[in-house]
Amino acid sequence: MTGGGVNDGQETNNRETDVTNPCEIAWFSALCDDDYEFLGQPDPRLQSSWEHCRDIVMQAETGGFDNILLPSGYALGIDTTAFAAAIATLTRKIHLLMATRIGEAWPPQLARQIATIDRISGGRLKINIISSDMPGETLASAPRYRRTVEAMEILKTMLNGEHLNHQGEFWKLDIDPPRVGTVSGKAPPLYFGGLSPDARDAAARACDVFLMWPDKKDNVAAIIADMKDRAAKYGRELKFGYRAHVIVRETEAEARTYADRLLSKLDAQQGAEIRAKSLDSTSVGVAAQAALRENASDDGYAEENLWTGVGRARSGCGAAIVGDPDQVLAKLQMYREMGIDAFILSGYPHAAEADLFARHVLPNIDHAPL
């Protein structure tokens, strides 16, 4: 870290000693039409396509990232499962975090798809579970999350190679697993997020990595503590992931200037229209991101180096870690000390920002796939 005397150095050493395991550092491929030079200004060069999203993944692999999130949305972008199968044949090291919308899936067939893509990738597939509705239908929160728990339990049983006898609320199945299994013979890790009581209970029951969006450090600590308690009641332990945007430059002033540039062509109405397009625009998590933004300082900072301006032009994850390499690294290390095991980062445009993070920060953090 920059600056400081003896005490600052001792604090840094203590923090590094406390963080004994490497963290996972993932990037993001914009499969859902979420790539911009100026937020809110569609750019045909950056629209989701096989070629563009492939190039982001390849940039992330070249840069040394451990994992890459392949997001999924019904209305926008390209199909995630088809993309994951194709990109698995071109990559060699980077893990693939494939988002899956449970409302659109039949779990036994999804298990077969997951096992097949895992085989294609050589065992590099992980799954981001989304508790979605079926397009055109709406299910209340409590039953929708109960359905998601059932799906996660079905997937784990089948992908562990076990006979499934499931007599649930949404599926009644008595079936052997598909002939093809994963490379490890086990279910891949299931990443999942959500802040409502129903979502938290679902995560505590069945996921492996609980994902959070940006928030003030005290709120992050409170969420981690709450989720540890909830999981313990089911005899389980969770790992924790943190999804955020990032802007890193050689100086903090340059990083802040670039953040301002991203919003320089956005007006309030454009931002509201973009946020409303998302199928999760009314969720508890999105409301928390809006509150974070509304309570930030006049220049958009919720706390030191956490800028909420991104949320003016997108639903979901709405804040960025902004600063010089030492500041960004310090922020990530702080989260690690709080219990974060994995980071899913992104920036605009995604390929260019992946390169900047890979050069300025990634070599200085102990990281590896979960």
Side-chain angles (χ1 to χ4, degrees):
M1 315 302 167
T2 57
V6 174
N7 289 338
D8 288 334
Q10 174 144 15
E11 288 172 5
T12 298
N13 290 336
N14 288 343
R15 287 197 301 266
E16 290 172 351
T17 299
D18 291 340
V19 180
T20 56
N21 295 318
C23 62
E24 180 177 83
I25 305 289
W27 199 251
F28 176 94
S29 185
L31 272 68
C32 300
D33 293 335
D34 181 41
D35 202 1
Y36 300 95
E37 181 178 358
F38 297 96
L39 290 176
Q41 299 296 308
D43 186 334
R45 298 172 305 145
L46 302 177
Q47 189 173 26
S48 295
S49 66
W50 158 247
E51 293 82 5
H52 179 57
C53 296
R54 173 201 63 199
D55 291 349
I56 295 172
V57 176
M58 301 311 291
Q59 178 66 58
E61 179 163 72
T62 299
F65 288 88
D66 304 308
N67 196 2
I68 187 151
L69 175 59
L70 308 177
S72 179
Y74 173 74
L76 300 172
I78 60 179
D79 182 75
T80 308
T81 306
F83 181 88
I87 202 68
T89 67
L90 300 182
T91 51
R92 294 294 177 265
K93 294 182 179 180
I94 196 167
H95 288 223
L96 308 173
L97 180 54
M98 182 179 81
T100 298
R101 301 178 63 81
I102 292 302
E104 300 162 27
W106 186 59
Q109 177 62 14
L110 177 58
R112 188 166 180 250
Q113 292 170 330
I114 289 170
T116 301
I117 298 172
D118 184 77
R119 285 280 172 180
I120 294 170
S121 73
R124 292 179 286 118
L125 188 66
K126 300 173 178 178
I127 304 299
N128 176 203
I129 296 288
I130 300 175
S131 184
S132 70
D133 284 314
M134 179 71 76
E137 298 179 1
T138 301
L139 192 63
S141 174
R144 178 164 51 81
Y145 281 109
R146 291 198 303 270
R147 180 176 65 185
T148 302
V149 170
E150 283 193 34
M152 288 192 280
E153 291 173 344
I154 292 169
L155 289 175
K156 285 187 174 183
T157 298
M158 299 193 76
L159 291 168
N160 284 337
E162 301 167 5
H163 178 85
L164 176 72
N165 187 349
H166 177 87
Q167 304 302 314
E169 179 181 356
F170 296 92
W171 292 286
K172 299 186 187 302
L173 300 166
D174 190 346
I175 189 174
D176 284 328
R179 180 187 63 78
V180 62
T182 62
V183 170
S184 69
K186 298 293 184 181
L190 302 182
Y191 294 55
F192 175 83
L195 288 183
S196 71
D198 294 327
R200 294 187 191 211
D201 183 69
R205 285 175 177 268
C207 84
D208 302 299
V209 183
F210 181 75
L211 294 176
M212 288 175 279
W213 285 336
D215 209 332
K216 292 183 177 182
K217 58 185 179 182
D218 289 346
N219 292 337
V220 173
I223 293 169
I224 291 173
D226 176 65
M227 291 307 303
K228 284 183 176 180
D229 288 344
R230 288 174 183 264
K233 291 177 182 177
Y234 295 108
R236 306 186 68 242
E237 293 182 355
L238 298 173
K239 292 185 180 297
F240 294 92
Y242 191 85
R243 165 86 180 96
H245 306 284
V246 64
I247 299 172
V248 60
R249 294 296 186 273
E250 292 186 359
T251 68
E252 182 181 13
E254 289 175 290
R256 283 176 168 255
T257 297
Y258 187 79
D260 293 338
R261 180 181 182 274
L262 280 177
L263 289 179
S264 62
K265 297 186 179 182
L266 179 75
D267 62 40
Q269 182 176 349
Q270 281 178 315
E273 291 173 353
I274 291 169
R275 293 194 300 272
K277 285 181 181 178
S278 175
L279 294 179
D280 67 355
S281 61
T282 60
S283 75
V284 174
V286 169
Q289 293 295 283
L292 184 71
R293 185 172 64 253
E294 290 162 3
N295 293 319
S297 61
D298 290 343
D299 58 1
Y301 285 82
E303 65 181 15
E304 189 176 10
N305 302 113
L306 187 65
W307 178 66
T308 64
V310 175
R312 291 177 54 191
R314 76 187 309 276
S315 184
C317 175
I321 301 168
V322 177
D324 65 33
D326 285 344
Q327 290 171 321
V328 172
L329 181 62
K331 197 79 170 176
L332 296 178
Q333 296 286 33
M334 179 196 75
Y335 292 130
R336 292 181 71 191
E337 292 152 19
M338 295 170 66
I340 297 296
D341 304 286
F343 297 94
I344 302 174
L345 305 173
S346 58
Y348 297 99
H350 292 297
E353 293 299 308
D355 176 62
L356 286 164
F357 186 89
R359 288 191 284 115
H360 287 301
V361 181
L362 200 55
N364 300 314
I365 191 165
D366 183 21
H367 67 97
L370 289 183

